[in-house]
Amino acid sequence: MSKKLSVDLAYDAPIAAVSGMLADATFREQVCDAQHARSKSVAITGSTVSIRYEQAVSGVPGFAKKFVGDTIEVHQDEIWSADFTSGDLKLTLPGKPGSLSGTARLIENGSRTIETVTLTATVNVPLVSGKLEDLILSIFKKGLEKEHRVGTRWLAG
């Protein structure tokens, strides 16, 4: 069993500016900071992005607390096309029973660029997997919204 999420992030900038932002380690570090990461490491080599961060978990429903704990470590690995307009994403949560995989695509529409991020959450825990998948997707949706806010500021200069 797994659940899907698709989010469109619109930027008032040409595709080259958005792809350049996604390929910039400083931007990625600012996104970690906006997500209140306790620790972070960002490495970008060619079109491969590797982000490791840990953040506190708050407001988690009781049923999920024993699976999620007080902190969550995220290993985010992205393999992009050479021009950073399409990428495959994989997010693993070491020591936790879930993972996310998906894609990111940039499409230029006039003077705007739309980034569409599609994620599938998979949790292998009997009885509560659906609820945990919903929880993980909601956490990452909030993260994408924070990334969008940071990106909008970044592109505005």
Side-chain angles (χ1 to χ4, degrees):
M1 181 96 188
S2 59
K3 296 209 174 168
K4 288 189 182 309
L5 167 75
S6 184
V7 178
D8 286 338
L9 308 171
Y11 295 102
D12 289 322
I15 197 165
V18 176
S19 62
M21 171 184 79
L22 293 172
D24 190 294
T26 303
F27 166 72
R28 298 303 191 112
E29 289 171 356
Q30 288 178 9
V31 171
C32 289
D33 292 342
Q35 294 176 357
H36 308 291
R38 290 180 167 185
S39 63
K40 66 181 183 284
S41 98
V42 175
I44 299 179
T45 309
S47 58
T48 301
V49 177
S50 176
I51 303 170
R52 305 286 181 261
Y53 63 94
E54 181 182 72
Q55 63 189 79
V57 176
S58 59
V60 173
F63 79 89
K65 198 71 173 162
K66 71 178 181 181
F67 298 108
V68 178
D70 295 325
T71 62
I72 192 163
E73 184 182 343
V74 178
H75 290 188
Q76 181 172 329
D77 295 298
E78 306 171 4
I79 310 290
W80 286 85
S81 57
D83 62 359
F84 268 82
T85 58
S86 66
D88 292 319
L89 316 176
K90 180 131 183 74
L91 295 96
T92 53
L93 314 169
K96 312 289 186 207
S99 66
L100 291 145
S101 61
T103 59
R105 300 278 179 269
L106 299 181
I107 303 286
E108 199 167 52
N109 185 352
S111 62
R112 306 179 84 209
T113 299
I114 310 297
E115 180 185 12
T116 301
V117 179
T118 306
L119 293 171
T120 301
T122 306
V123 175
N124 296 313
V125 177
L127 304 177
V128 296
S129 61
K131 286 182 179 178
L132 285 172
E133 288 161 357
D134 287 339
L135 176 67
I136 290 170
L137 288 173
S138 74
I139 290 169
F140 281 95
K141 184 171 192 265
K142 287 181 189 145
L144 286 169
E145 289 163 355
K146 287 181 180 173
E147 178 174 316
H148 182 251
R149 283 197 294 276
V150 172
T152 300
R153 281 198 309 271
W154 176 276
L155 293 165

